[in-house]
């Protein structure tokens, strides 16, 4: 059984799958797709995924896109442990309730803030205008507040119960993204601040490994900002 | 086994679940939540769903939100026929690949165009500005083009293969929404035009039943527009 993972660790859902497969000690073939070099738009990669996005898996010739659909498939194929993605109907539904909510509830807003503040200036050579940034920031703050109070902050250690699931890993990897735009969710949301280290610890050392490049970028930005003071 | 469905037929995912349960001849208890009267913000409904949205199910006391998570749960509980939501791993993954894509790939853009053109003027008493409308329209057209060419237009009668699945019903109900904003997807996208009647036929008469109010609103708007000519 050969599993290929097309990924770039700059992509949040790519990191989710990478960390999970490493945590499961599953022997997969990593296929790096360099987003910064626009390799996802290449003819070769478009043949793999007509949507031109990562992550993608190729499981013995069965090519599947969309990270949440991939999680579900890998759970059914017993690649992901049941402790992380329950097969008990109600617990599974609770995990999926979050996985479905997060697309527009959380991911959209964190990703858009990251794009407007961090990516667009790189791509266009000029800073986004302040009013645009503030609009995206306001929507991200509302999304993070929902996550902090309506998903966390309900008296359990993790999103669904007392042990981590794939829902926590998906959320955690997403929340790393606005950090590259200079925004630290943990400094503003107490439940996120309490929960996040527990997720990182559970998926150690692979969580940190998958975020090495991201953290290097953040540290470099911090140094640049400090040198301007 | 008692299944309650909290819904409003003005909500696309509410219609999906309503049509499916009717098609399955499943005896459920309809709990109408009038969105226009803001009943979803009431104290009583907030106790049912802290996110203040429909649809929601209550299955013998197990309350579940998020329509796609509900579809999956009802499939596992054998409320939805396997012909509409396969349990074969790969076919199931193909259906879920679409269900996960459509959140930000299709739904977001159709819903936002509907909101900006149809809802905001009702709520604020003034028309959205033309530049804003055109921005949302452009993004909706790109999303509809993706759906038309990358999901349909691949040589099969339906999104996944030759028979309809829940993926088709989710997409069809979503595409009804911009019609209320005066935009007819079938007039612009040939694959959508060929596919849509097949979905409506398959889920007849419940599909049309669930869209009676929506179609009344559209007819009324058409008459108002014509009377201005």
């Amino acid at each position: 059984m050969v599993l290929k993972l097309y990924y770039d660790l700059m992509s949040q859902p790519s990191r989710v799958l990478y960390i999970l497969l490493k945590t499961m000690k599953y022997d997969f073939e990593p296929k790096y797709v360099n987003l910064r070099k626009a390799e996802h738009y290449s003819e070769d990669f478009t043949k793999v995924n007509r949507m031109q996005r990562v992550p993608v898996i190729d499981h013995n010739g069965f090519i599947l896109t969309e990270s949440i659909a991939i999680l579900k498939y890998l759970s059914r194929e017993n690649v992901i442990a049941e402790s992380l993605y329950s097969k008990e109907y109600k617990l599974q539904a609770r995990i999926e309730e979050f996985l479905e909510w997060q697309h527009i509830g959380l991911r959209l807003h964190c990703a858009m803030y990251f794009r407007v503040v961090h990516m667009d200036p790189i791509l266009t050579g000029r800073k986004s205008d302040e009013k645009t940034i503030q609009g995206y920031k306001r929507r991200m703050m509302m999304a993070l507040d929902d996550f902090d109070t309506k998903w966390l902050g309900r008296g359990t250690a993790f999103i669904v119960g007392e042990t981590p699931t794939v829902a926590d890993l998906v959320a955690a990897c997403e929340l790393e993204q606005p950090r590259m735009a200079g925004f630290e969710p943990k400094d503003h949301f107490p439940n996120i601040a309490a929960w996040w280290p527990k997720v990182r610890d559970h998926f150690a050392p692979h969580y940190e490994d998958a975020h090495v490049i991201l953290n290097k970028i953040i540290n470099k930005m911090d140094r640049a900002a400090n040198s301007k003071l």
Side-chain angles (χ1 to χ4, degrees), chain A:
Chain A
M1 298 291 267
V2 179
L3 181 74
K4 296 177 194 164
L5 174 68
Y6 294 83
Y7 75 105
D8 182 332
L9 293 179
M10 296 304 288
S11 130
Q12 311 88 300
S14 287
R15 293 196 297 269
V16 169
L17 295 179
Y18 182 92
I19 293 165
L20 269 174
L21 291 173
K22 287 283 185 186
T23 302
M24 293 297 117
K25 298 185 170 55
Y26 195 87
D27 185 26
F28 66 100
E29 187 183 322
K31 303 280 272 181
Y32 176 48
V33 180
N34 189 330
L35 298 181
R36 299 222 160 186
K37 288 192 179 162
E39 286 177 5
H40 52 313
Y41 295 125
S42 70
E43 205 175 312
D44 277 356
F45 186 70
T46 305
K47 280 182 198 155
V48 175
N49 181 8
R50 69 197 184 287
M51 308 310 283
Q52 303 179 313
R53 282 195 267 178
V54 288
V56 178
I57 60 164
D58 177 339
H59 193 211
N60 303 306
F62 179 66
I63 292 175
L64 187 64
T65 73
E66 288 296 326
S67 61
I68 306 295
I70 294 170
L71 283 179
K72 293 179 201 300
Y73 173 79
L74 293 179
S75 157
R76 289 193 294 267
E77 291 279 344
N78 298 314
V79 173
I80 300 175
E82 205 175 328
S83 59
L84 290 174
Y85 199 157
S86 180
K87 288 180 179 174
E88 189 280 315
Y89 284 9
K90 289 190 172 63
L91 268 178
Q92 192 176 340
R94 283 279 166 259
I95 293 168
E96 290 171 349
E97 188 175 43
F98 178 80
L99 294 178
E100 300 306 328
W101 174 80
Q102 59 82 34
H103 286 284
I104 293 183
L106 185 66
R107 170 166 173 68
L108 173 70
H109 305 291
C110 291
M112 285 308 294
Y113 184 75
F114 164 73
R115 186 196 289 186
V116 167
V117 176
H118 181 84
M119 283 309 292
D120 285 353
I122 293 174
L123 297 172
T124 65
R126 60 192 168 82
K127 219 178 154 233
S128 302
D129 75 85
E130 197 52 34
K131 199 182 152 194
T132 303
I133 292 175
Q134 288 310 318
Y136 282 105
K137 185 167 184 181
R138 187 174 51 77
R139 289 187 286 274
M140 180 180 69
M141 294 301 275
M142 285 167 61
L144 290 170
D145 189 62
D146 273 352
F147 179 59
D148 190 72
T149 60
K150 292 178 182 164
W151 292 96
L152 303 176
R154 295 189 292 168
T156 55
F158 295 93
I159 297 173
V160 179
E162 298 304 329
T163 57
T165 67
V166 290
D168 298 285
L169 186 59
V170 167
C173 288
E174 194 59 56
L175 262 54
E176 299 283 350
Q177 216 67 4
R179 295 182 58 230
M180 276 194 285
F183 182 84
E184 282 285 356
K186 72 171 167 48
D187 296 344
H188 302 264
F189 298 96
N191 295 317
I192 290 175
W195 154 89
W196 211 344
K198 290 184 287 188
V199 183
R200 286 183 175 129
D201 282 358
H202 185 86
F203 292 99
H206 310 296
Y207 190 101
E208 291 307 322
D209 286 353
H211 287 92
V212 162
I213 303 167
L214 182 141
N215 282 316
K216 267 188 194 161
I217 292 172
I218 293 167
N219 289 336
K220 202 172 147 187
M221 282 173 8
D222 282 352
R223 279 199 305 277
N226 286 332
S227 73
K228 281 185 197 159
L229 294 178

